[in-house]
Amino acid sequence: MPEILVISGKGGTGKTSITAAFAHLAGDAVICDLDVDAPDLHLLLDPTIRQRHDFYAGHEAVIQPDRCCGCDICRQVCRFDAVRPGEPAPVIDPLRCEGCKVCVAFCPDNAIDFKSKHCGVWYTSDTRFGPMVHAQLFPGDENSGRLVALLRQRAKEIVKTNKKTLILSDGPPGIGCPVISALSGVDLAVIVTEPTPSGLHDLERIASLCDHFSLPVAVMVNKSDLSATMTRRIEVFCRERNHRVIASLPHDPDFVLAMVNGKAVTEYADGYSAQQIRQAWDTILSLFNGADSPKKNSVPQIGRRKAS
């Protein structure tokens, strides 16, 4: 059961459009949107929600006025200035509270409850390309890494139940906690980049993260005709790191038109970009032919870093 993750070192490179196209071409995958802070894969796949679940992570302190003696100890010990004056008792500002529990520990009257925090929602849905798991973390809330891990676990359960052959995930941008949670244990990371200084910089960062976890990597250059010089620099970087470039896509209006129509680009048109994406998908599939996992046989073909 291969698990393929589409990522980028930065936002705006087109990874969600690529993921939607791969989902269209796969035909037998469980689809995951792991960008829980700002998900948008649902805009292209139009999922029908079957199950909705609340996501709780961390805690927040709440002062109960009927038990509070007004000693002010909670305000004195809170290093985040989360305790504010109030009547008949102080109140805790949820935007400042970090859930450290020090006020709970020092309250002499046990007047502060420490409740689990409702941080978001996650869904199990159906799409025209197959089952999908996705989520929305509430603005400013934390534990996106934990929510990503939960979605991946749910996807694996759906694979077993529905006898699917593949997990295809749209990953978060950047290199932070949710990205690390999304990368852990995947069979292939497909990095989508663009030929700009920031695109190359963030490609270097995310590729280094994949190298750290010894994960196989394939690279797709989107809008490659924006700068031939930067595209060549990306290709040189990938060659030096033994990361194979599986597609170079031009700046193509079909991507925008497909999004406007709520479709994957390979579903909307059969132009040059769609054909290149199809070839890239065929290349990815070839890595898994005859192997339970690319980690066993096919990884050296596509991008483990050469041993020094």
Side-chain angles (χ1 to χ4, degrees):
M1 184 266 298
E3 187 173 359
I4 299 171
L5 176 69
V6 183
I7 51 175
S8 61
K10 61 185 290 294
T13 63
K15 66 177 177 58
T16 298
S17 293
I18 297 298
T19 304
F22 284 170
H24 169 234
L25 298 174
D28 193 33
V30 175
I31 307 159
C32 257
D33 190 348
L34 300 181
D35 187 1
V36 297
D37 290 286
D40 53 12
L41 186 58
H42 63 281
L43 299 176
L44 296 178
L45 301 192
D46 190 26
T48 300
I49 296 174
R50 298 303 183 192
Q51 296 178 345
R52 179 189 185 278
H53 308 270
D54 291 325
F55 174 66
Y56 290 87
H59 297 81
E60 59 182 348
V62 179
I63 298 174
Q64 299 299 326
D66 58 330
R67 304 203 302 265
C68 178
C69 66
C71 66
D72 202 38
I73 291 177
C74 55
R75 185 190 63 80
Q76 296 173 28
V77 299
C78 181
R79 63 180 298 182
F80 303 105
D81 296 324
V83 182
R84 303 298 190 188
E87 291 295 337
V91 295
I92 295 178
D93 183 350
L95 296 180
R96 286 184 169 270
C97 178
E98 291 290 328
C100 69
K101 203 178 180 180
V102 69
C103 59
V104 178
F106 280 89
C107 179
D109 293 312
N110 295 319
I112 305 177
D113 293 339
F114 200 54
K115 300 179 179 180
S116 296
K117 189 175 183 181
H118 185 203
C119 294
V121 292
W122 63 279
Y123 309 95
T124 301
S125 302
D126 291 331
T127 75
R128 61 189 182 279
F129 301 145
M132 175 178 176
V133 290
H134 50 119
Q136 175 67 70
L137 202 64
F138 296 150
D141 276 323
E142 57 186 15
N143 273 304
S144 54
R146 180 178 173 187
L147 182 52
V148 166
L150 187 155
L151 294 181
R152 291 184 64 197
Q153 180 58 41
R154 177 56 180 152
K156 292 174 183 177
E157 294 170 357
I158 294 175
V159 164
K160 294 179 181 179
T161 302
N162 293 270
K163 297 182 180 179
K164 298 293 182 179
T165 60
L166 174 71
I167 295 176
L168 176 64
S169 299
D170 182 16
I175 59 171
C177 178
V179 179
I180 293 171
S181 182
L183 276 173
S184 175
V186 301
D187 296 289
L188 177 66
V190 179
I191 304 176
V192 182
T193 188
E194 58 189 8
T196 63
S198 61
L200 176 57
H201 171 266
D202 292 310
L203 168 63
E204 293 171 348
R205 295 198 309 163
I206 192 66
S208 295
L209 185 63
C210 292
D211 287 342
H212 174 77
F213 289 107
S214 299
L215 297 176
V217 167
V219 177
M220 300 180 68
V221 184
N222 196 17
K223 296 171 278 190
S224 59
D225 51 350
L226 288 181
S227 172
T229 300
M230 289 303 302
T231 297
R232 284 194 296 270
R233 289 181 60 184
I234 289 173
E235 291 171 347
V236 169
F237 167 79
C238 292
R239 186 162 56 248
E240 291 174 346
R241 299 287 285 266
N242 196 32
H243 297 324
R244 180 175 173 184
V245 178
I246 61 172
S248 289
L249 307 175
H251 192 282
D252 192 340
D254 280 349
F255 280 93
V256 176
L257 295 173
M259 282 189 285
V260 170
N261 286 274
K263 294 184 177 181
V265 65
T266 50
E267 181 185 22
Y268 175 78
D270 194 30
Y272 178 79
S273 293
Q275 293 174 16
Q276 291 298 301
I277 293 172
R278 289 178 184 275
Q279 290 180 18
W281 181 246
D282 288 341
T283 299
I284 290 171
L285 290 182
S286 70
L287 304 175
F288 300 93
N289 289 339
D292 294 331
S293 166
K295 292 179 180 178
K296 294 181 180 179
N297 297 319
S298 302
V299 170
Q301 303 173 28
I302 196 161
R304 281 194 188 277
R305 189 176 181 181
K306 291 179 180 178
S308 56

